[in-house]
Amino acid sequence: MAVRFVLTVLYTPVQIVLWLVALAAFLVVGLATEIITVFSTSYEQGLFKAMDRVLDPLAKWPSWCVSWPELRHEGDAAYYRARVEKKVGRWTKRASVPRKAGKPRPPVECAIPLRDYRGVGGAYVAQVALAQGWELRPTDVRKEVRLWWSAAS
């Protein structure tokens, strides 16, 4: 974990710079082609889709990255149990809100990333989620555990 933490510390500035460069490039292209967007909505939509495809992955940490709290609590299963319970509890609170007219529907599907259950395993996530009314979805436990709110049906 210490090696991963050092690699994370070295990688994070590079990732931030890449994100800023990509954002600046899209802004320059957007400003330079502003006249095209006045006449073509498909160009603008394509530019936004390309922006999402490029910037979204750069805004997330890869699964191999390790933060300082994760390094500090390595081997501490109680820390990861509390982290999983907090994360699943937060999703349960969001999903169990009654639907109101004119408001978006509460989320019925969620994903718990590996970083939240690294110390206790995906089985513990499933156990906590099933106890709170979630159902498991097909998932790759090496990346995330996907859940579906069963009360939504």
Side-chain angles (χ1 to χ4, degrees):
M1 290 283 266
V3 173
R4 286 184 178 184
F5 177 72
V6 170
L7 290 174
T8 301
V9 169
L10 295 174
Y11 172 74
T12 301
V14 173
Q15 183 178 8
I16 291 169
V17 167
L18 283 174
W19 188 87
L20 289 172
V21 166
L23 178 65
F26 278 112
L27 288 175
V28 167
V29 168
L31 289 173
T33 60
E34 182 66 29
I35 194 76
I36 296 172
T37 60
V38 171
F39 300 110
S40 173
T41 58
S42 63
Y43 175 80
E44 185 176 22
Q45 291 171 352
L47 187 64
F48 285 142
K49 284 182 184 178
M51 207 163 128
D52 286 341
R53 285 188 198 133
V54 172
L55 294 179
D56 282 350
L58 287 175
K60 298 175 186 172
W61 267 8
S63 61
W64 58 264
C65 286
V66 175
S67 66
W68 175 249
E70 291 168 351
L71 179 66
R72 198 177 66 205
H73 292 288
E74 181 183 4
D76 184 5
Y79 169 78
Y80 283 100
R81 276 192 219 102
R83 198 169 175 171
V84 165
E85 290 166 6
K86 182 178 176 182
K87 188 77 158 196
V88 173
R90 202 177 305 144
W91 277 108
T92 303
K93 185 178 176 182
R94 287 183 196 161
S96 62
V97 171
R99 184 167 184 234
K100 296 179 184 174
K103 299 274 184 171
R105 290 184 177 180
V108 295
E109 207 168 330
C110 72
I112 309 296
L114 172 67
R115 124 171 310 102
D116 290 329
Y117 63 87
R118 181 180 278 150
V120 289
Y124 185 73
V125 176
Q127 177 185 356
V128 170
L130 291 172
Q132 293 187 24
W134 292 90
E135 292 179 8
L136 293 174
R137 284 286 179 228
T139 185
D140 183 4
V141 184
R142 293 171 292 168
K143 295 180 183 175
E144 64 187 7
V145 174
R146 298 201 57 77
L147 304 170
W148 183 72
W149 183 244
S150 58
S153 58

